[in-house]
Amino acid sequence: MATERELSDFLKSVEKRAFKRSVYHVRDEEAALDIVQESMMKLAEHYGDKPPAELPMLFQRILSNCTLDWFRRQKTRNALFSNLSDFESAGEDGDFDLLETYTVLEGSQQAESAEDSTRRAQVLREIEQEIQALPARQREAFLMRYWEDMDVAETAAAMGCSEGSVKTHCSRAVQALSKALKAKGLQP
């Protein structure tokens, strides 16, 4: 059974990665914050009494379900209401800037030139666009495996599918990303 301290420490340890993952999915920082907060509340409310070792997989599954629920609500809302303001400025506030969240490794003391910084920012934007262009299940499997560093079994449990499906989704995502990045002149 997880103590309050263990649960709190776990939630602190996953909040930033969960936020980044949610932003990749929903492409809206405010909605991503809501999804992460809702996921954390559900974990604490319904599964706070579980052993600490079970918390990561439970949280990933809850986060996935909350994200899917958000998409369902958006689909319903968009079917009922048409907001013309949604079409005016789609790129101003809702964009996620990967460069802002990218941190240089602490061990490197070299100053980065403006040219290198610009090149890195362009490459990161290209990679981000290609990840966002992946089909939802491939993107979810890819981010869990390579962003969240979960193994195949954990990813399968969190996604509610077989390990073979996870491997297939990841393989297809890696192939699609590799092909798209090579077409843009980037070597993965």
Side-chain angles (χ1 to χ4, degrees):
M1 304 298 169
T3 65
E4 280 188 43
R5 177 72 177 187
E6 290 172 326
L7 181 60
S8 176
D9 289 345
F10 168 74
L11 292 174
K12 285 178 187 175
S13 73
V14 297
E15 69 181 330
K16 288 180 183 177
R17 289 183 310 177
F19 172 71
K20 289 177 186 177
R21 178 178 157 205
S22 295
V23 169
Y24 267 119
H25 285 294
V26 301
R27 300 180 182 122
D28 179 352
E29 289 186 2
E30 290 180 20
L33 283 171
D34 290 341
I35 290 168
V36 171
Q37 183 179 18
E38 181 182 356
S39 300
M40 289 179 163
M41 294 295 292
K42 285 184 178 183
L43 180 73
E45 188 176 315
H46 299 289
Y47 301 103
D49 60 341
K50 297 289 183 184
E54 292 182 20
L55 295 179
M57 287 197 333
L58 286 168
F59 180 74
Q60 294 302 326
R61 185 67 184 160
I62 293 168
L63 185 63
S64 294
N65 287 339
C66 286
T67 303
L68 289 173
D69 290 345
W70 181 86
F71 278 113
R72 288 183 189 116
R73 285 191 301 271
Q74 289 302 108
K75 185 176 179 181
T76 303
R77 184 178 77 57
N78 290 340
L80 297 173
F81 306 104
S82 177
N83 249 346
L84 293 178
S85 64
D86 289 346
F87 301 104
E88 290 174 4
S89 58
E92 287 179 18
D93 294 326
D95 285 346
F96 175 69
D97 186 3
L98 186 61
L99 182 60
E100 288 179 4
T101 61
Y102 181 76
T103 56
V104 179
L105 296 174
E106 290 181 27
S108 68
Q109 298 294 325
Q110 298 174 339
E112 186 175 39
S113 72
E115 181 180 353
D116 289 341
S117 178
T118 302
R119 186 178 306 119
R120 181 171 50 86
Q122 289 171 342
V123 169
L124 290 173
R125 276 193 290 277
E126 295 290 334
I127 293 170
E128 179 189 17
Q129 288 172 353
E130 294 304 326
I131 290 172
Q132 289 178 350
L134 291 172
R137 294 291 280 180
Q138 286 181 21
R139 183 175 56 244
E140 183 178 20
F142 179 82
L143 290 173
M144 283 185 187
R145 290 279 293 125
Y146 303 112
W147 185 277
E148 296 290 331
D149 203 26
M150 297 171 70
D151 65 25
V152 174
E154 292 172 331
T155 304
M159 291 178 64
C161 63
S162 69
E163 291 183 20
S165 293
V166 169
K167 291 176 185 178
T168 299
H169 289 310
C170 285
S171 173
R172 289 179 180 165
V174 168
Q175 287 175 356
L177 288 171
S178 176
K179 183 179 176 181
L181 293 175
K182 282 181 184 176
K184 292 182 177 190
L186 301 172
Q187 295 299 323

